[in-house]
Amino acid sequence: MESRVVISCILLSLFYFCGAEEVKLAVKGGNSIAKTDDNFICATLDWWPETKCNYNQCPWGKAGVLNLDMGNKILANAIRAFSPLRIRIGGSLQDQVVYNVGESAQKCPHFERRENGLFGFSEGCLQMDRWDLLNKLFNETGALITFGVNALMGRKKSKDNDSLVVGNWNPENAHDFMKYTASKGYKIDSYELGNELCGSGVSARIEAEQYGKDIIMLKKLVEDLYTDPATQPKVLGPGGFYDKEWFNKFLQTSGPNVVHGLTHHIYNLGPGDDPTLINKVQDPYFLDKVSQTYKDISSSIKSFGPWSRAWVGEAGGAYNSGGKYVSHAFVDGFWYLDQLGMTSTFNHKVFCRQSLIGGNYGLLNTTTFIPNPDYYGALLWHRLMGKNVLSVSHTGSPYLRVYSHCSKQTAGISLLLINMSNSTSFEVSVADDTNLYPKEYIGTNQREEYHLTPEDGNILSDVLLLNGTPLKLTESSDIPPLNPQLVDPTLPIKVVHDSIVFVVLKGFKAPACA
């Protein structure tokens, strides 16, 4: 008898299965609890050369700003699919980049390995013909650009503290570069000053009061060079790890309406060679720990910079180029999409992934440019999850993570369900908790569902299945269509173990989404 039950379960389709745990979601659609930017999804183009290595591997290849193949058709199509994708140009070496333009550029060096250099490298140089080619790519693909400016120009190391860098920022080279950029009509959404120089820093640090004065100078440059308020780039900073005292002082010094985006970095999974990395990315209790940082930065903004908005300016999960077997695989989506959901509930406007291409955590494979599973998760978020965030809760397993937003392209709401359990599946029903008396929501429109699972059930696979079908580039190297499965709205949402599901409820009447 027992064998018959097992056989019966196997014969059911992938999404209609036996022995699932029933879960009821309560969605409050009366008011939004937070708001993101329309272009919440962001990815970084980094400066690392091929010789950037960690843990006996060199995973960056030709993915850096200075050696990227910008004529690659897959790259262009992957960016264009977001229409638009926010791209941040920056990273560890940005504070060693000289812009080869104007009288301020005395020399134009190449990045070279140097033991006493910042992050083990010498200064490098951005030629303007290279910058022209980059902007050609951005213009053709409709990308939104954040450019990370070198914040170490004109400074020197403190005599009393080897990690502390002192002196005023010299903006001359940045001015010449920004002037060239503006004169060419290149569209820049925002300029960010420095990378990981705040708090205790990483390879170098600057005091908060000095940084505040410097970003005022950057703001002045932007206003002088971009006189039309409608197209004037935003100013971001400080682009590093959150330190409460430092960030508060920075906001107090820079003052009102200077810093538009208060950018901070997240690498909450530890080093990329951590053998427990695969456990961390699917442990909801571990992933919850970083929420305190999101709460604290929101508190800093409320108290000292209400004109600013919180941005995750860089997040790779695991630092030092990510985990070799984890950061590009299906299982990384548990960390990545959960962080997108979590930061959005804490009123973060932008979440910038490290990186678009390169390292082990690129949305695109370093050598082939073929999208990794997280690319498709990011694209579905961008297309389905609107900027108004709704309150959603359930009393089921903590391994089922759920987030809700107003739908981006249609009336109704979108849900993101992440099942981190490797054994338990769920049957999910939705209740409308907008009014005094919650009631089960049963729509009249067919429900749109996007079920993401790994090939062969292997969470370390880099092949992603959408509703059971592998996602592969078309013959013309285009991103494949991401079509939903249409489901009878009277049926519960089926969420198998080790899976991620996006759901669109078109008929859900949420006043916050009107």
Side-chain angles (χ1 to χ4, degrees), residues 448-501:
E448 293 183 0
E449 296 184 0
Y450 305 77
H451 292 257
L452 305 179
T453 52
E455 187 176 51
D456 299 326
N458 178 13
I459 60 175
L460 287 177
S461 173
D462 58 5
V463 176
L464 183 67
L465 309 184
L466 172 59
N467 297 324
T469 301
L471 288 172
K472 297 180 179 179
L473 297 175
T474 67
E475 290 184 2
S476 57
S477 298
D478 285 317
I479 301 301
L482 305 181
N483 297 323
Q485 178 183 19
L486 300 179
V487 181
D488 183 339
T490 65
L491 297 174
I493 302 166
K494 312 288 186 175
V495 188
V496 299
H497 61 83
D498 287 330
S499 75
I500 297 164
V501 185

Side-chain angles (χ1 to χ4, degrees), residues 124-240:
C125 177
L126 175 61
Q127 299 277 9
M128 290 304 98
D129 57 355
R130 182 71 180 176
W131 182 230
D132 294 339
L133 289 174
L134 282 161
N135 279 279
K136 183 175 184 291
L137 172 66
F138 301 150
N139 183 58
E140 290 174 348
T141 57
L144 283 175
I145 302 302
T146 291
F147 189 90
V149 176
N150 183 339
L152 290 182
M153 285 287 190
R155 307 188 202 270
K156 58 183 179 181
K157 285 187 176 182
S158 168
K159 295 179 180 179
D160 303 321
N161 189 321
D162 194 49
S163 67
L164 180 64
V165 182
V166 297
N168 294 323
W169 176 52
N170 182 346
E172 187 178 354
N173 191 226
H175 171 273
D176 290 344
F177 169 74
M178 292 165 65
K179 182 179 179 181
Y180 176 87
T181 300
S183 70
K184 286 284 192 173
Y186 298 151
K187 297 177 182 178
I188 303 295
D189 176 76
S190 42
Y191 285 105
E192 183 178 34
L193 184 63
N195 183 84
E196 296 179 356
L197 300 170
C198 56
S200 57
V202 177
S203 283
R205 66 184 181 90
I206 299 171
E207 295 289 8
E209 189 171 0
Q210 179 64 59
Y211 218 123
K213 294 175 182 177
D214 297 331
I215 208 161
I216 292 172
M217 197 178 301
L218 175 61
K219 176 70 171 180
K220 183 67 165 56
L221 284 184
V222 169
E223 291 175 339
D224 289 346
L225 294 169
Y226 298 86
T227 56
D228 183 357
T231 58
Q232 192 175 93
K234 297 179 281 289
V235 171
L236 315 177

Side-chain angles (χ1 to χ4, degrees), residues 175-475:
H175 171 273
D176 290 344
F177 169 74
M178 292 165 65
K179 182 179 179 181
Y180 176 87
T181 300
S183 70
K184 286 284 192 173
Y186 298 151
K187 297 177 182 178
I188 303 295
D189 176 76
S190 42
Y191 285 105
E192 183 178 34
L193 184 63
N195 183 84
E196 296 179 356
L197 300 170
C198 56
S200 57
V202 177
S203 283
R205 66 184 181 90
I206 299 171
E207 295 289 8
E209 189 171 0
Q210 179 64 59
Y211 218 123
K213 294 175 182 177
D214 297 331
I215 208 161
I216 292 172
M217 197 178 301
L218 175 61
K219 176 70 171 180
K220 183 67 165 56
L221 284 184
V222 169
E223 291 175 339
D224 289 346
L225 294 169
Y226 298 86
T227 56
D228 183 357
T231 58
Q232 192 175 93
K234 297 179 281 289
V235 171
L236 315 177
F241 295 99
Y242 178 74
D243 177 288
K244 181 179 179 180
E245 184 177 347
W246 195 101
F247 270 61
N248 291 350
K249 186 67 175 177
F250 169 69
L251 285 172
Q252 287 175 290
T253 304
S254 55
N257 304 314
V258 173
V259 180
H260 175 90
L262 190 66
T263 50
H264 69 109
H265 293 183
I266 293 293
Y267 286 89
N268 58 313
L269 298 176
D273 66 344
D274 183 350
T276 68
L277 181 59
I278 190 171
N279 301 321
K280 289 179 177 179
V281 296
Q282 51 189 329
D283 180 352
Y285 300 102
F286 181 85
L287 296 179
D288 271 342
K289 292 179 181 179
V290 74
S291 65
Q292 189 61 51
T293 298
Y294 303 144
K295 291 177 184 176
D296 290 345
I297 199 164
S298 295
S299 178
S300 286
I301 288 173
K302 184 178 180 180
S303 299
F304 299 100
W307 52 85
S308 289
R309 300 293 182 265
W311 290 32
V312 173
E314 183 179 304
Y319 58 80
N320 287 342
S321 303
K324 183 175 182 180
Y325 303 106
V326 173
S327 295
H328 59 82
F330 172 85
V331 70
D332 190 69
F334 293 151
W335 165 79
Y336 178 47
L337 289 171
D338 187 56
Q339 293 304 297
L340 291 180
M342 192 185 301
T343 53
S344 70
T345 64
F346 284 104
N347 219 30
H348 280 58
K349 299 301 178 183
V350 173
F351 189 103
C352 203
R353 167 75 176 232
Q354 173 70 323
S355 57
L356 174 60
I357 182 169
N360 294 304
Y361 37 38
L363 293 178
L364 306 177
N365 182 280
T366 302
T367 55
T368 65
F369 290 79
I370 292 174
N372 287 318
D374 280 350
Y375 171 87
Y376 291 109
L379 185 55
L380 281 169
W381 176 290
H382 180 74
R383 291 180 176 179
L384 302 177
M385 308 293 276
K387 64 182 181 181
N388 288 334
V389 186
L390 304 177
S391 172
V392 59
S393 60
H394 69 84
T395 57
S397 168
Y399 285 86
L400 178 66
R401 312 282 272 202
V402 183
Y403 299 98
S404 179
H405 288 223
C406 296
S407 291
K408 192 167 190 176
Q409 298 180 348
T410 186
I413 66 170
S414 296
L415 301 171
L416 167 61
L417 301 99
I418 307 170
N419 186 356
M420 299 180 185
S421 172
N422 60 11
S423 58
T424 303
S425 299
F426 301 97
E427 288 190 344
V428 178
S429 59
V430 180
D432 185 348
D433 197 15
T434 300
N435 300 310
L436 184 61
Y437 300 103
K439 60 180 180 180
E440 185 176 357
Y441 170 75
I442 300 177
T444 55
N445 299 307
Q446 285 186 305
R447 192 169 62 229
E448 293 183 0
E449 296 184 0
Y450 305 77
H451 292 257
L452 305 179
T453 52
E455 187 176 51
D456 299 326
N458 178 13
I459 60 175
L460 287 177
S461 173
D462 58 5
V463 176
L464 183 67
L465 309 184
L466 172 59
N467 297 324
T469 301
L471 288 172
K472 297 180 179 179
L473 297 175
T474 67
E475 290 184 2

Side-chain angles (χ1 to χ4, degrees), residues 66-84:
L66 300 181
N67 59 16
L68 179 67
D69 176 11
M70 291 177 290
N72 186 281
K73 189 174 181 180
I74 300 174
L75 172 64
N77 288 338
I79 296 172
R80 191 180 290 113
F82 280 82
S83 188

